[in-house]
Amino acid sequence: MSVSIHIEFDGLETIQKRLLEETSEAELKKLNKKIVKAGQEYGGTIIKRNLPKSMDLQKSGPQRSGKIRKVPSDHAVDNIPIDNVKSSNGQTFGFIGWRPSNNEDNFYAKFFEEGVDEHTTPYNFNRKVPRIPKLGLFNKANKEVASFVNEIGLTEYSKKLEEVFGSDNQ
């Protein structure tokens, strides 16, 4: 249920070389993290607009036969996980959404990405597991987030260029 975005800016390598000569690598890493963090937050707002929200929180969460329903503390739409921005091998990246191994309060929200067919299972006392429609929200948001990150990246790098080289060298 994750989205992976790889963005390359045309002509940015030349600009980056000049920037590295004039500014520190740590400053550029901080700038890249700022850009990716803004992209994550924007992606979170897109998902928030489209993720279903029940009218009654008390009826949310998994219900198991013969057991008390474990009600989440808040709606999934209000608790979309956004990981910290990380850098590795010159690349900066971030993660939005529920990982497959996530079993916290709103873990069931991860099933909206790929959907679940209605089925029965012996581990659920042969009770039918309801169908969850595939929404693919994170995949749908991918293009819009990539475009946003590209725009904000160009803006932030333009500001940095102006700061380092002056307005004549953009």
Side-chain angles (χ1 to χ4, degrees):
M1 180 169 178
S2 67
V3 175
S4 178
I5 300 173
H6 180 78
I7 298 174
E8 291 184 28
F9 298 102
D10 292 332
L12 191 59
E13 289 178 18
T14 308
I15 294 169
Q16 280 181 322
K17 285 179 187 175
R18 289 184 64 195
L19 273 174
L20 281 173
E21 293 169 1
E22 300 290 329
T23 188
S24 72
E25 192 172 333
E27 284 182 89
L28 292 178
K29 191 181 268 191
K30 184 178 176 182
L31 182 63
N32 288 337
K33 284 186 175 190
K34 178 181 176 181
I35 294 166
V36 171
K37 185 68 176 171
Q40 284 180 300
E41 290 169 0
Y42 182 68
T45 61
I46 294 170
I47 301 306
K48 195 172 192 169
R49 281 192 308 239
N50 299 308
L51 193 65
K53 182 176 182 178
S54 65
M55 298 299 284
D56 184 1
L57 182 62
Q58 296 302 314
K59 294 181 181 177
S60 291
Q63 181 176 1
R64 294 179 175 82
S65 180
K67 295 183 181 180
I68 297 172
R69 178 188 295 270
K70 183 181 178 203
V71 178
S73 58
D74 207 355
H75 289 284
V77 73
D78 298 323
N79 287 307
I80 298 169
I82 298 177
D83 285 1
N84 291 329
V85 177
K86 296 178 178 130
S87 293
S88 176
N89 297 329
Q91 302 224 343
T92 305
F93 53 92
F95 185 84
I96 306 169
W98 291 269
R99 297 185 184 275
S101 61
N102 185 321
N103 288 324
E104 295 176 11
D105 267 3
N106 299 110
F107 76 93
Y108 57 88
K110 64 187 169 187
F111 300 121
F112 286 112
E113 188 65 14
E114 294 299 324
V116 176
D117 290 332
E118 184 175 322
H119 65 281
T120 58
T121 174
Y123 302 110
N124 203 10
F125 304 104
N126 291 320
R127 182 176 68 84
K128 281 200 178 281
V129 175
R131 179 182 177 281
I132 299 173
K134 177 180 179 175
L135 299 178
L137 298 175
F138 290 86
N139 284 333
K140 289 176 186 172
N142 191 2
K143 186 176 181 181
E144 198 173 335
V145 171
S147 176
F148 177 81
V149 168
N150 193 20
E151 284 177 33
I152 198 163
L154 289 172
T155 302
E156 291 298 323
Y157 267 90
S158 293
K159 284 181 194 174
K160 191 65 172 176
L161 279 171
E162 189 172 324
E163 177 187 311
V164 173
F165 299 115
S167 60
D168 296 338
N169 296 315
Q170 284 191 20

